[in-house]
Structure formats: C-alpha cells, structure tokens
Amino acid sequence: MLCLLSGFLNRMRILKKTFTLVLRRGVNTLCSKDFLFKVHPSVSQALADNKPVVALESTIITHGMPYPHNLSTAKEVEAIVQAEGATPATVGVIEGEIRVGLSSDELDYLAQFKSPLKVSRRDLPYVISKGLSGGTTVSATMIAAHRAGIPVFVTGGIGGVHRDGQNSLDISADLTELGRTPIAVVSAGVKSILDIGRTLEFLETQGVCVATYGASKSFPAFFSPHSGFTSACHVCNPSEAAKLIVSTLSLGLQSGVLIAVPIPEEHAAVGQQIEEAIQAAVTEASSQGITGRDVTPFILQKVNELTHGKSLQANIALIHNNAKVGCQIAWELSKKMSERTSKSQAHHFERLSTDSESDIVVIGGTNVDFIAKGKTKTLRFGQTNPGSVCQSFGGVGRNIADSLSRLGRRPLFISATGADANSDAVLNYCKHMNTSGVARLEEWSTATYCSVITENGELSLGLGDMDIHQQITDQYVSKFERQLSSATLVCLDGNLPVSTINYVCSLAKKHNINVWYEPTDAKKACKPFLSDAWKSLSYSSPNLAELCIMNETLGITTPEVEDVVTLVAVLPNALDDILNVAVALSRPLLEHLHCLVVTLGPNGVLLCGEHDAGSVSLKPRKQKRRRQLCALHYPALTVTAEETMNVSGAGDSLAGALMAGILQGKDTDSCVRMGLLAARMSLASPHPISPKLTLDSVDPNKVQTQAWPKPDFVWID
C-alpha cells in the first residue's frame, strides 16, 4: 500500500503548497459555527450521555474579584461541581470565540488578562468580530449555555433595575434575557445596591418565574437572606426545583426560571455590617460620578475594603453554596428528564404497529432541511445574496429509508424526533414509509439542517442542530432486537452514538446479519473503527475522505485527508491516481468487509470486493471465507450544472437504490446502474430523495440514457 501511495504523495506535496491557503479558508467558511462557538469535549460528552452539566459565568473571574482570588474561586467552584458528580461548563470569550467549558489554562488566561471586556448580549457581535477576549455576564452565559443544551446555570447574583432606574432606564440585560431564554438560573438573588422591588416587578413583566429555595418565600439580597421582598413561589428541595424547571421547559414558554438561594446562615451574620458598607460605597460612587457598568465593580471593591475582606469571604461562600445547590438541582433535573424520555419511548414502543416485519432495517437520523440556493456562481458572505429558500426533509437514515420505500421495499426505520411541529411535518411527509420505529421525544427538538448552496448546487455553508441523534440509544434500538436479528440487511448511518453502532455490530456477529454502514461525513466515519465492531460490517459506502479516516483510525498510514480532497477537487481528470488511492485505501478494510462502495463524485463509483464471474459480488454473504478480491470502476452519469438542484442526497439515493437492487437479487451491473440513475434524479430534485423515484425510473432497460460505458477493472489480488 505504501509503495502504491508514494507517487501520489510526492505529487500532492507540490499541490499542497499552492492550495493550502485556499483550503484553510474553505474550512473556516464551512465551519463558521464551530469557529464562533466551541463546546469543550467533556461538556459535549456529558450532554450526550444525559449527565448533569452546570454552566458558570466568567465575569466573576474578569471583573468580580481581584487576582488571585478570582482564579482560585473559579477553580474551587468547578471542583465543587465535579465533587457533586456534575460537569462544570464555565463560559467565556477567548480571541473572538465563545467557549462553553474552559480548560485550566483558559481560566488562568482570563484571570490574568490585563484588560478583559465585560461581555453581555449586546457585546457578543462586536467582541467576536474583533477577536477580543472577556468574561461573559449572566445574559451572555445564558445564551451560550442554552445553545449548548445546558438547562442549569449557577451564578453569584443577577443584575437588576438600578436605583433611580425609573428615570435612567438603567436595567440589566440579565432580566430581559431571563424573559426570552429558557434556562434555570441559580443565584443568591440580587445585590442590595439595586432596586430589588422594581427588579422583581420587571421580572414579572418579563414572565419569569421567581422561586426562593427553602422553606420561606423571602427573596434574598445577596449578602443577606432577607431583602424585605418575597418571591412569587418557593421550592423546598432539589426535586421540587427540578419539577418546576421541567414544567417550564415542557410548556415551551421560552422564558427562564430564577431560583434564589439565600446565603448560608453562618455567613449571613456579617450581613448588616456589609449592608452598611454598601450604603457608604453607593454614596461614594455617586459623589465620584461613577455610572453604568462601572458601578458594580467599584462598589464591590470598596465594600471589600470597608469590611476588611469579610464581604469577599461571604461572596465566595455564597457562590460555593449556589454551586452545590445548582448541582443537586441539575442531578434531579437530569433524572426527571431521563424518566420522561424513557416513558415517552416506552409509550411509543407499545404503539408500534405489527407491520414492522421487514427484510431490511434502517437506523439513523431524521432532519428537517432548509436549503438556500444562490442565483450567482459565487456567494458573498456578510451581505444578502439573491436566491431561493425551500424546505425539505432529510437525514441520511431517513433518506436511505425513503429511497428504499419508493423502490418497492418496506424498511423498518428507527430514528428519533422531537414532539414538535417539525416532527409533525416530517412524519406527515413520510407517510409512504414504515416510521413505526421513530421515537417522538419530549424535551428534544427535531434535528434541523440549513444548507447554503451555490448556483450549480455545491455546498457553500451548512449548519445543523443534530443533538437529538444521540437519543437513538442502544437501549432504545434493543427494543427492536427481534426485527434486527431476522433482517437480511441492516443499515446504520454515522449520526448514531458509538454505543448504538457497537450494539448492532454485536448482534450482527451473533446472528450473522449483513450490516451496511453509511459514514455521513469524515468526522463520523471513524465510529465503528474505534473498536473491533467494524469487523462485523459487511458493506460501507464512504467517499475518499471518509475512507482515509477509517484507515487512519485503524493506525494505517494514509495520505492526509486534505491532500485527497485536493486531488479530487483540483485534478478531476487524474482518474488513474484517484482510483489507485481508492483501491489502496480499500484493501485493508476488505480483510473483514464484504464490499466497499467508494463514491467518487463526478468520477463515479468504485466497487471493491469479491471477484465473481467477471464482476464484484454484491450478494449478501452467508459466511466469511477466503476469496479473490478485485475493484470495478463505474463512471458517473452526466449531469449539467443547469440540471443540478442540490447535492445533499445523491449519495443516499445511490446507496438506497443499490440496497434495493441487492435485496431484489439483481446482478451487480443492474444494481449499480439503478444507483447511478437514482443519484442523477436526486441531483436534479430540490429534495434529497426525488419524489419521482420509482422502480421504473431507475430501470436501466426502460430509461433512455447515454450508452452505458463498460466498467473498468483494477485488480487487487
């Protein structure tokens, strides 16, 4: 393999110098969401596993306390969260990137940064555009936490209506954010330097549920457990608080919950002394003309001086207490949401129809797609481009099940959607399919994907909200073990959790099931190859980049993915080089896989597998055996730029039609030609799978097309 690739690598080193800058710019454009918004892997994993996560703000680091108290407090709070069994997710902005979950080095960076910005909702666009760093306030932290899917956020105290706010209109953005972002904020109320009465009135106007944590409704004033005002309600323990949060989220009100936790009694004893210092500090701030966002840092510093550090100690104590209470609430919330999900899945499973018997099962993602197509060859970012926008229904698993359903099969489709309007729309569209295996889950949103494509149908930018795919768990899929065990073919897409893929592969090994793996993209291609699960796969349909990742995951030396992408994009006529690389990358996988269908875009398809009567065998194998291997290349059908509507479902159409042909017992040539015709129909349709797709429309004997070129052989053994 290394000898075969050496010539290719030498040529690519020359090309790489020329195209590296272009490729890097392309990567930044395509991954703009990740570029602006980054979730730490530990946070992502905890969320995917339904483990409790607690969001933490960072203005307490950058503006709330002097160094090194700010750093030690931040790390102590994270340690408390971890000790309570939750995952801390401190939010901050570093060099224009919003980060949810900071490393130790990033905490140090913010704690010692000389001129950090105080970043609220208003400031986020500017800070990002300038590549600046700063601490996120309550409002900005709420935005980031909500986008990451974190329902509980712990802070010291929220902002409020400033004294004389009825004249100055100096009202913290924290309050309006609570009115429009569905997240639970755990705090010690608001500081007495603010107008607490008007703050509570404003929260009521915003529709925010305010609850005191404990036996009393008395609303706390940060350093004091009593402000002289009461909350609308109270919750006595973490379980009651979690129930309140679940109710808020279930109603879909799009407003938050404020859980006000009184400072511990042992630290509240100095409250009166601190209150007197606050009044003195307020007077001094007024006399010095200090206003706006500078007031709070000034007063906190002054109060710390007047109380000889007692206010700082009390501040740290209440933050520690809030973190502990917040974790306990997050744990209860995690359990209650898991219970609701399990009940929803169980209820759904009870309703499964009896028509779920099928010779093929497809497990994968369901998306609602929004496709924006430009009317120009190039799109200019940062301005409005002429174009059209349409809605369609996608998801790799859904697409393949759709294709099979239109081609005379009745696949059982296993997936997950939210219990929302998008779910209603996609399930109504999929009435021709067997969707009895699709779970509708409360508290989750149906996956959505937005793609911006150029005039000729090429993807320019894609954004996806795919978190619900992680709910297609092995526990849920195991409910269909009987159907899986008796199926002729099971298809998995790369959106599935690794544990689900491993479970199906273990069944395949036990029951000798043929499994087809569709990687979906290069990042997800590695999933079965992280363990020996891949050895139970029979088919896979990767592109060259995905094939590289598969080999790389197995520790096999491969060309860089960037080089392979460049080869296909920049040298579309270098077919011999492309085929040689594809063959070399396929060979190690064929030690266990029955057949690889390597998609080459405009260069067609390369089949790699067992040589059988002058072709590659696509028939489902009954047992593994020694065999002679070969590779067979089929050119693509010609599709003009004018005919191309989008490229999002061509590969799925190809795979679905190939599977349909295999299950119908057709020969290899017929299967591949069915796949190529289905892919061409997809390219010319605004939908990933053309609604016009039928068995007649992909019958090579009935469709008028150019003369079918004879496939070329590349022998492996």
Side-chain angles (χ1 to χ4, degrees), residues 30 40 76 117 127 178 195 272 297 355 419 423 492 695 706:
L30 290 173
H40 193 278
E76 286 166 6
L117 295 176
V127 172
L178 273 162
D195 189 326
Q272 184 59 41
D355 68 344
S423 176
L492 308 175
L695 279 173
Q706 70 265 38

Side-chain angles (χ1 to χ4, degrees), residues 425-441:
V426 69
L427 291 176
N428 183 63
Y429 180 80
C430 296
K431 285 181 177 178
H432 61 291
M433 297 165 51
N434 178 5
T435 57
S436 60
V438 179
R440 297 191 68 185
L441 306 179

Side-chain angles (χ1 to χ4, degrees), residues 35-40 56 58 89-103 106 109 136 144:
F35 178 67
L36 300 177
F37 187 87
K38 180 179 180 182
V39 180
H40 193 278
L56 304 165
S58 52
T90 303
V91 177
V93 182
I94 296 180
E95 296 179 347
E97 184 176 72
I98 304 170
R99 302 195 183 183
V100 181
L102 299 179
S103 67
E106 290 166 343
Y109 174 81
T136 51

Side-chain angles (χ1 to χ4, degrees), residues 462-479:
L463 294 173
D465 176 6
M466 309 292 183
D467 292 346
I468 195 171
H469 292 156
Q470 297 306 307
Q471 300 307 304
I472 312 173
T473 62
D474 53 323
Q475 292 92 343
Y476 179 66
V477 173
S478 67
K479 297 178 184 296

